[in-house]
Amino acid sequence: MENIEHKHVEVRGLKLHVAEIGSGPKAVVFLHGFPEIWYTWRHQLVALADKGYRAIAIDFRGYGLSEQPADPEKDTFIDLVHDVVALLDSLAINKAFLIGKDFGALPAYLVAALHPERVSGVVTLGIPFMLPGPSAVQNHLLPEGFYISRWQEPGRAEADFGRFDVKTVIRNIYILFSRSEIPTAAPDQEIMDLFDPATPLPPGLSEEDLDVYASLYEKSGFRYPLRVPYRTLAVDCGITDPKVSAPSLLIVGEKDYVLKFPGMEDYIRTGAVKHFVPDLDITFIEDGSHFVHEQLAEKVNQLILTFLDKHAI
């Protein structure tokens, strides 16, 4: 960890925070989800660098140590796609592997679909190929208290989160997202009310780790994360029938609550996802949670390295 270098890189008029370790022509760019940040990839960064890869993790715009856009309410997932391509340009990387977790999977796949010449391969954790738009998540098939529905409602999550300090909010979300059930509140509850203070932190997350996450979100706040991904998930990104030609790997924890989204498990297990990503391998990890890359880091590292070594030029 102490060998990870930190810097800010100018990307489309914003300074993005970049954590980097390792060197050489084989570049890997990690794209985080929520409530994560560059630090979520701490185990993978070191493991890949030790095997000869140039490992790079960013804080997306509006997250952590990266700058906020002037008008966050105008941003969509496509801004993240453009940022990744511009980052590769700024770092003089012609082609890279992209590894995305949670909502970070969406820009990873979209960069590969729109700019295939820049992508050596794609690895995603927990989330298969999804196209932002009205049908991305079937909110109407889930109860009113579904956490995404609640967080898409302007002001509601802000009021809910605002009752607690940042560290408590991150702790609560991490614990809720580590369960195998979709976080869903009753009509008289908010999402933060689902948290039981007696619940220990999930495997792979320590109090010290939580302090790092909290310090980074204390800097950026939750305004941009609530915009992207949650409030732009249903915004059509103007892409029709995309195809990802790059070799790809999807790693899914068997106990990831996302598998219980309507249609999600069938979409993955039947191979329907391969309509969009034909060259896709799918690996399920028994007992793996939504945060499988932290929970079972060595197993995930080995899966990623095997894939990279197979497809690295």
Side-chain angles (χ1 to χ4, degrees):
M1 283 287 292
E2 63 273 8
N3 293 324
I4 296 175
E5 298 179 358
H6 296 267
K7 60 186 175 184
H8 281 83
V9 176
E10 185 86 14
V11 174
R12 300 177 64 229
L14 294 175
K15 290 183 173 65
L16 298 191
H17 170 246
V18 173
E20 182 172 350
I21 184 172
S23 60
K26 298 183 294 184
V28 182
V29 177
F30 291 91
L31 307 174
H32 65 79
F34 179 79
E36 299 143 328
I37 212 75
W38 78 266
Y39 184 79
T40 198
W41 301 111
R42 59 197 178 280
H43 305 300
Q44 286 73 42
L45 287 167
V46 174
L48 268 60
D50 285 347
K51 296 297 184 180
Y53 289 89
R54 180 183 178 188
I56 299 159
I58 67 169
D59 291 345
F60 278 122
R61 58 169 54 208
Y63 282 78
L65 299 176
S66 290
E67 287 187 337
Q68 300 279 338
D71 192 354
E73 278 64 40
K74 290 183 177 178
D75 277 14
T76 69
F77 272 97
I78 290 299
D79 286 286
L80 306 189
V81 172
H82 294 331
D83 283 355
V84 172
V85 176
L87 175 75
L88 296 179
D89 292 339
S90 295
L91 296 177
I93 296 171
N94 290 327
K95 203 168 187 179
F97 289 96
L98 301 181
I99 301 183
K101 160 74 175 63
D102 187 67
F103 83 81
L106 278 70
Y109 280 126
L110 290 177
V111 170
L114 297 174
H115 303 277
E117 75 284 356
R118 306 303 298 271
V119 179
S120 302
V122 179
V123 180
T124 64
L125 290 90
I127 300 290
F129 179 93
M130 291 171 58
L131 195 61
S135 61
V137 176
Q138 306 285 318
N139 292 34
H140 63 284
L141 298 178
L142 289 157
E144 173 276 334
F146 175 44
Y147 77 98
I148 290 180
S149 297
R150 289 290 184 87
W151 291 353
Q152 286 176 336
E153 184 180 330
R156 188 156 191 169
E158 290 86 340
D160 187 14
F161 294 0
R163 297 179 293 155
F164 306 95
D165 60 53
V166 170
K167 184 176 180 179
T168 300
V169 172
I170 299 295
R171 179 194 299 272
N172 291 4
I173 296 172
Y174 241 92
I175 289 174
L176 290 174
F177 282 10
S178 293
R179 298 173 180 169
S180 59
E181 299 300 322
I182 298 173
T184 304
D188 61 347
Q189 284 183 311
E190 298 301 327
I191 298 300
M192 290 294 104
D193 296 329
L194 297 173
F195 172 70
D196 179 355
T199 306
L201 288 173
L205 187 75
S206 67
E207 286 290 338
E208 292 74 22
D209 295 330
L210 193 62
D211 286 338
V212 175
Y213 281 111
S215 69
L216 295 168
Y217 274 96
E218 281 167 359
K219 181 182 183 303
S220 63
F222 296 108
R223 181 182 178 186
Y224 197 87
L226 288 170
R227 173 66 187 171
V228 182
Y230 296 102
R231 292 171 187 166
T232 57
L233 192 56
V235 176
D236 193 314
C237 58
I239 302 169
T240 55
D241 198 25
K243 286 286 193 296
V244 175
S245 59
S248 301
L249 172 65
L250 170 62
I251 300 171
V252 184
E254 293 271 11
K255 295 187 177 179
D256 190 332
Y257 72 89
V258 173
L259 282 176
K260 294 185 177 173
F261 282 18
M264 182 64 77
E265 188 160 10
D266 281 348
Y267 176 59
I268 296 171
R269 290 194 186 273
T270 64
V273 62
K274 294 185 180 183
H275 169 77
F276 301 103
V277 192
D279 190 4
L280 176 67
D281 290 329
I282 302 171
T283 298
F284 285 87
I285 297 181
E286 187 179 5
D287 296 327
S289 73
H290 189 62
F291 302 105
V292 67
H293 65 301
E294 292 177 297
Q295 172 200 13
L296 300 169
E298 288 188 16
K299 183 173 289 189
V300 170
N301 292 349
Q302 190 54 57
L303 287 169
I304 291 173
L305 281 165
T306 299
F307 173 84
L308 297 180
D309 290 345
K310 179 180 178 181
H311 297 289
I313 298 174

